[in-house]
Amino acid sequence: MSQQLQQSNSTDNTHLNQGKPYKFYGTGTTNPWKIKFLFDELGIDYVYEDIDIFNEHSEKRKEFIKLFPNGKVPAIIDYTVNPPLKIFESGAILIYLAQKHGKGKFIPDLNTDPHSYADVLQWLAWQISGLGPMNGQYTYFSCFAPEAVPIAEERYLKETDRLYTVLDKQLEGKEWIAANQYSIVDMAVYSWAVYIREGFLPNYQKYKNVMAWLDRMNQRPAVAKHLPTILAPLKEEIEHLTHAGTYRIKFD
Ligand SMILES: N[C@@H](CCC(=O)N[C@@H](CS)C(=O)NCC(=O)O)C(=O)O
């Protein structure tokens, strides 16, 4: 694949991607959902490649890491530019795609509306640097860690709770998180928040505005389309984790 990518510099590259403008590498977990939502909101077609990202022996994963050295999904290749452009990190991909195709729809225009643009950027950075990593660590220690580490579980629960409380306050009296418009921020935050009321965070009901916003998000056709796929494995996964003895979340 990397050889093909290099060869494509001087040739028509559409044949490399089955005639579709983008290749999208993902898996069925949080961060790649963001990109699926945005592609669907934009009505853009892509070739999808599922990477068995947690399996170190997977050949596909080894090939993927040759192209994207950080070795995490999502990542995309844009074949509409020459040479094709590789980009990883969900936040970077969201900004790139929304600015390229959204015409101000999913990210405001910096030149005409700098306040809204900055608002979207700051909440996106908040998700990528805060909500995602903290919620992710909490999920690891409360659901997957082979040994219980109460101090880590408590620390990440406290910070995850703080972040959802901040989000709840931000959503007070608002339909969408940033800039008074549905944006890449909503897609990014939803990709994590969709799991919290499915057995992955205790006491989630207290974030009332977040719950109402989740319901609004579920109405978006681009989200509704994927929701059954997001939810389908969760019950069985919790049963599996409970059986393995690593599911430690307690509900009041
Ligand atoms: N900051 C990255 C995080 C990406 C990430 O952690 N992706 C997960 C899947 S949701 C992954 O590839 N995990 C594989 C691993 O950690 O080895 C982003 O927002 O894209």
Side-chain angles (χ1 to χ4, degrees):
M1 180 60 192
S2 46
Q3 214 178 1
Q4 282 179 329
L5 200 61
Q6 278 160 17
Q7 283 169 357
S8 70
N9 290 3
S10 56
T11 57
D12 168 19
N13 52 46
T14 52
H15 67 283
L16 291 176
N17 196 38
Q18 301 163 39
K20 295 190 179 166
Y22 289 94
K23 181 149 184 179
F24 168 28
Y25 300 84
T27 199
T29 56
T30 51
N31 292 297
W33 289 120
K34 305 170 184 176
I35 312 305
K36 284 193 187 161
F37 299 146
L38 183 57
F39 269 134
D40 284 351
E41 292 285 1
L42 292 167
I44 291 176
D45 204 3
Y46 54 85
V47 172
Y48 179 65
E49 186 150 339
D50 196 87
I51 304 294
D52 194 1
I53 204 73
F54 299 102
N55 174 6
E56 282 179 18
H57 305 293
S58 154
E59 286 306 316
K60 244 197 213 179
R61 179 177 180 268
K62 286 179 195 159
E63 286 303 305
F64 172 73
I65 291 174
K66 285 185 200 157
L67 283 179
F68 296 98
N70 193 44
K72 297 200 182 224
V73 289
I76 64 166
I77 301 175
D78 180 351
Y79 283 94
T80 68
V81 296
N82 205 354
L85 183 153
K86 294 183 292 166
I87 178 165
F88 66 95
E89 279 293 325
S90 61
I93 299 169
L94 288 174
I95 294 169
Y96 178 81
L97 291 175
Q99 281 188 337
K100 185 166 171 180
H101 300 286
K103 302 191 180 86
K105 233 175 148 192
F106 305 112
I107 188 167
D109 181 56
L110 168 61
N111 296 314
T112 57
D113 192 355
H115 293 85
S116 297
Y117 180 79
D119 202 27
V120 165
L121 284 199
Q122 71 184 357
W123 281 100
L124 185 62
W126 175 87
Q127 187 283 303
I128 289 159
S129 65
L131 188 79
M134 294 301 125
N135 198 347
Q137 291 300 325
Y138 172 65
T139 307
Y140 175 75
F141 284 107
S142 64
C143 298
F144 294 100
E147 281 173 35
V149 188
I151 195 165
E153 219 176 303
E154 278 160 33
R155 177 182 166 85
Y156 290 118
L157 176 58
K158 194 171 168 210
E159 184 60 4
T160 303
D161 173 53
R162 189 191 71 77
L163 288 159
Y164 279 109
T165 304
V166 168
L167 179 63
D168 203 54
K169 198 154 175 242
Q170 172 66 9
L171 278 165
E172 182 79 55
K174 293 193 190 78
E175 217 177 339
W176 308 113
I177 299 170
N180 284 321
Q181 69 172 80
Y182 174 67
S183 75
I184 53 175
V185 169
D186 298 286
M187 300 175 215
V189 175
Y190 177 88
S191 300
W192 284 89
V194 65
Y195 295 97
I196 69 175
R197 57 183 178 186
E198 305 302 327
F200 289 93
L201 193 68
N203 309 325
Y204 58 85
Q205 302 90 334
K206 66 177 168 172
Y207 317 116
K208 290 198 169 45
N209 300 314
V210 176
M211 294 304 117
W213 164 83
L214 279 174
D215 292 339
R216 268 194 300 284
M217 287 295 295
N218 289 345
Q219 303 298 314
R220 302 274 325 174
V223 172
K225 178 181 161 188
H226 296 291
L227 191 57
T229 315
I230 296 175
L231 300 182
L234 300 182
K235 199 167 169 269
E236 205 173 304
E237 191 172 342
I238 289 177
E239 273 166 22
H240 171 77
L241 294 168
T242 306
H243 187 70
T246 63
Y247 183 77
R248 306 180 177 94
I249 299 181
K250 304 261 181 304
F251 292 84
D252 291 343

